[in-house]
Amino acid sequence: MMREIHNLRYSRFPSTPEPPMTDRQTARISSRKQPQQARSTDLVAAILQAAIQVLTEQGATRFTTARVAEKAGVSIGSLYQYFPNKAAILFRLQSDEWLHTTQMLQRILENLEEPPLHRLRTLVHAFIRSECEEAQMRGALNDAAPLYRDAPEAHEVRAAGRQIFAAFMLELLPEIGESARTAACDLILTTLSSVGKDFSGSPRNEVQITVCADGLADMFSAYVGVLNQRDDVQALTDV
């Protein structure tokens, strides 16, 4: 749901950028204009729904603006009024996912009525379940990521989630130094993202999801407990 993770791949969490891509690959991804009227809003919604269908049915390699327009039942000209190219459509789908993740992070991690470790467990369960429910769409967006991942807009959208989790880590690990806390944040988010991706690669039932999420949450809780008790963690991280 939202770290600069060291392995760049599609994830609900933002990831560390790879070296810049070529100018051709980093095409404009901002929408041309925002819908102002209900009719325009409905048109954009239809385009995005059609884009989801094309992406999940045909994959990133066969994803084109023409196919999206045809599926949506609109002219290609109408589509281009709002999206200058296919990268802009894909980025909108991805940023909607990131927005959903950011909202989930806020709802769970900023709930001060629950102790930090309880919030972490709730987050793990919500994340693993969401990964399994939306695995097909997420995989397709991962394939399309090279079209937009290095664009400035992508980095801006991902930053909010990272900030929310970093603030939560201060509650979770209040006694250790900043560098050690940052390393722990990266490790937890990388592990969560990797496990979520691999686990959701096969169909899972509710029992399997619960067992996986509980095991992962137990592991994180034990790790946090150890870090909060170790006097040498700051020195080890700063070496």
Side-chain angles (χ1 to χ4, degrees):
M1 268 124 151
M2 290 93 321
R3 111 274 349 135
E4 258 42 56
I5 282 185
H6 298 300
N7 295 320
L8 182 50
R9 59 182 176 273
Y10 173 72
S11 172
R12 299 290 292 279
F13 292 93
S15 51
T16 300
E18 290 182 341
M21 304 176 73
T22 65
D23 292 340
R24 183 182 62 84
Q25 291 171 306
T26 54
R28 175 186 174 186
I29 62 173
S30 298
S31 299
R32 289 187 186 277
K33 65 178 182 178
Q34 296 299 318
Q36 301 296 324
Q37 300 178 348
R39 182 177 179 182
S40 298
T41 300
D42 292 343
L43 174 60
V44 170
I47 291 171
L48 293 174
Q49 185 58 44
I52 292 172
Q53 295 174 13
V54 172
L55 190 60
T56 55
E57 293 171 4
Q58 303 193 39
T61 57
R62 292 179 57 81
F63 185 90
T64 65
T65 53
R67 288 192 173 97
V68 172
E70 181 181 6
K71 177 72 74 171
V74 303
S75 69
I76 193 70
S78 295
L79 183 149
Y80 282 141
Q81 287 182 25
Y82 298 96
F83 301 100
N85 48 50
K86 68 178 184 179
I89 301 175
L90 291 165
F91 175 69
R92 172 61 184 271
L93 295 178
Q94 178 66 94
S95 50
D96 284 351
E97 284 291 318
W98 283 328
L99 177 60
H100 172 75
T101 298
T102 300
Q103 291 171 340
M104 181 169 65
L105 279 175
Q106 289 179 312
R107 184 178 68 253
I108 295 173
L109 298 185
E110 295 179 359
N111 178 15
L112 301 182
E113 295 181 359
E114 294 290 334
L117 284 176
H118 288 189
R119 281 178 267 162
L120 181 60
R121 181 172 295 273
T122 299
L123 175 64
V124 171
H125 274 266
F127 179 80
I128 295 297
R129 179 168 288 101
S130 179
E131 287 286 285
C132 292
E133 290 174 350
E134 302 174 13
Q136 185 178 14
M137 179 63 177
R138 195 155 296 119
L141 281 173
N142 182 47
D143 293 338
L147 293 172
Y148 56 76
R149 66 187 175 193
D150 291 322
E153 297 96 327
H155 294 294
E156 292 171 4
V157 170
R158 293 181 304 207
R162 170 71 181 185
Q163 292 171 357
I164 293 171
F165 203 88
F168 171 70
M169 289 298 294
L170 187 58
E171 290 187 68
L172 200 61
L173 297 167
E175 301 300 327
I176 69 173
E178 182 178 354
S179 59
R181 190 182 304 111
T182 299
C185 178
D186 287 345
L187 180 59
I188 289 175
L189 289 172
T190 300
T191 303
L192 183 56
S193 183
S194 297
V195 171
K197 179 184 177 183
D198 292 341
F199 182 75
S200 63
S202 301
R204 305 290 182 176
N205 59 39
E206 187 64 27
V207 173
Q208 291 172 318
I209 292 172
T210 299
V211 169
C212 176
D214 275 336
L216 197 55
D218 288 343
M219 182 177 70
F220 289 153
S221 295
Y223 174 57
V224 168
V226 169
L227 289 181
N228 277 324
Q229 294 174 8
R230 283 173 56 179
D231 295 331
D232 62 341
V233 65
Q234 178 66 58
L236 286 174
T237 306
D238 288 338
V239 171

